[in-house]
Amino acid sequence: MRPFHYRAPRSLDEALALLTPQAVPLAGGTDLFLKMERRQTQADTVVDLKRIPELGRIEAADGGVRIGALALMDSLGASSLIAGQYEALTRSARVVGSIQTRNRATLGGNLANASPAADTATPLMALGASAEAADATGTRQVPVDQLFLGPGRTALRDGELLTAVLVPALPARAGSAFQRCVRTAMDIALVNCAAFVRLDGDDPDTVAEARIALGAVGPTPLRTASAENCLTGARLDERVVEEAGECAASDAQPIDDVRAGADYRREMVRVLTRRAIWKAFRRARGEA
Amino acid sequence: MEPPRIRITVTVNGEPYQEDVAATRSLLDFLRNDLGLTGTKEGCGEGECGACSVILDGRLVDACLIFAAEADGRRVETVEGLADGEALHPLQGAFATAGAAQCGYCTPGMLMAGKALLDRNPSPTHEEVAHGIAGNLCRCTGYGTIIQAVMEAAKES
Ligand SMILES: Cc1cc2nc3c(=O)[nH]c(=O)nc-3n(C[C@H](O)[C@H](O)[C@H](O)COP(=O)(O)OP(=O)(O)OC[C@H]3O[C@@H](n4cnc5c(N)ncnc54)[C@H](O)[C@@H]3O)c2cc1C
Ligand code: FES
Ligand code: FES
């Protein structure tokens, strides 16, 4: 491993001051450690964020929830502020890696690492969440569906840290769901899908609003606008859900790789999208 | 650049240690090579097998993906801390009785996974035990006897 200086600041301001272009932030290290070992980063300084207490909090905010970037997957999966309300997020946090992984891996690290397969990215996109980013000059918000630019690339600027994720209040008659398929328990997703559905106040069979996000089938996690349009304003039945799955599959841009072929991935998008929509729909109706 | 070193204070199995380590040192190499605690094993070195499992401030973690520097000021529990002198920990006794180890390479990690589980949930169901050791791979014994051993240990303690 390339030698580096290890710094463990106690405050956000101190951390931001240490983040020179040669420095890399360290959260749980479940991605970064191996990147460093494989010399995929040139950093000469590692800035460990785990000693900054305020970055780890999960708290109610503005009717929704504010999740510190350093919140552990294990804490997310167990949080009563998230379970029930934001089911898609709870489910995704609970399937990241092993117990050992979830005891180290953070939400901020999952997003900042910008893998197309990052499991918490699609639920956050479906839930309409924003990332909060801070640098020495202040903070700004970036919608999670605009955070990813390509594999390993985010809209975070040099010297900027992801400090929190803000999930808006769950509207009435709304629900979400997460689905994924994997080769083995410890592998990253071949495909994942998150759906958010809000039902009409007058007709509980009609979708007023839908957001569908797909993972591992493009250079970044992506929203499928055609599937969302297909659902919005429609009365949900087998035919509509089938069509939404079809639309999602055509919006997907899967590739062949060692894990699976593109055709298989596209077929799985169809299946997982349909399942996620039905689950989100039942939750929105308070049936699950 | 001269490889930077850092002075860390870590409590391992109740004993405080103060050591100078290279910033690049993994917690696993620190335990094995600097402290001579070779009970913790290296399998994959990539967070996939759990052979290197230790308990860090009460949480089960893979020591192969952690820098020793990250453990500064923290408490680490390893397999060496389980027995009380010659008296085996109930988990160790149960593993021996159930025949839950063959080559033994996964065993230290399995024991720590079992301990982390029982510390939180003293009487787990079969399914909870299976879930509790899901991050630990065993190539020999099969998980049946390992789960059985953890269940037995739960009854004893
Ligand atoms: C065995 C194993 C299984 C895994 N399984 C899954 C899985 O099922 N699903 C999945 O999605 N992932 C999986 N992963 C990948 C990884 O665990 C997750 O992506 C995790 O959430 C990364 O978080 P971290 O805190 O460990 O990030 P780190 O490794 O610390 O950081 C990752 C990257 O983000 C940057 N970074 C971290 N925090 C911030 C911040 N606050 N602001 C700006 N930049 C930051 C770092 O500089 C680094 O480039 C797995 C990893 C392993 C080892
Ligand atoms: S050696 Fe650490 S998980 Fe395999
Ligand atoms: S006993 Fe050999 S790997 Fe488990």
Side-chain angles (χ1 to χ4, degrees), chain B residues 78-101 107-108 111-112 115 118 149 152-154 156-157:
Chain B
T78 71
V79 69
E80 285 88 351
L82 287 181
D84 182 6
E86 290 297 300
L88 293 182
H89 185 278
L91 274 164
Q92 293 171 308
F95 267 60
T97 310
T107 311
L111 288 167
M112 297 319 285
K115 172 147 197 311
L118 297 186
E152 284 300 321
E156 279 168 49
S157 41

Side-chain angles (χ1 to χ4, degrees), chain A residues 66-148:
Chain A
R66 184 179 196 280
I67 306 167
L70 274 280
L72 296 178
M73 292 297 171
D74 183 63
S75 314
L76 267 184
S79 167
S80 56
L81 285 174
I82 296 169
Q85 280 213 77
Y86 307 114
E87 255 331 270
L89 184 57
T90 296
R91 305 282 164 135
S92 65
R94 287 183 185 167
V95 296
V96 169
S98 63
I99 294 176
Q100 288 90 330
T101 320
R102 293 189 292 278
N103 276 336
R104 278 318 261 186
T106 65
L107 183 65
N110 197 225
L111 297 180
N113 194 58
S115 158
D119 277 314
T120 61
T122 44
L124 291 173
M125 288 162 81
L127 290 165
S130 295
E132 181 189 87
D135 67 11
T137 65
T139 65
R140 63 177 180 127
Q141 286 183 23
V142 184
V144 174
D145 59 13
Q146 292 167 30
L147 185 65
F148 306 109

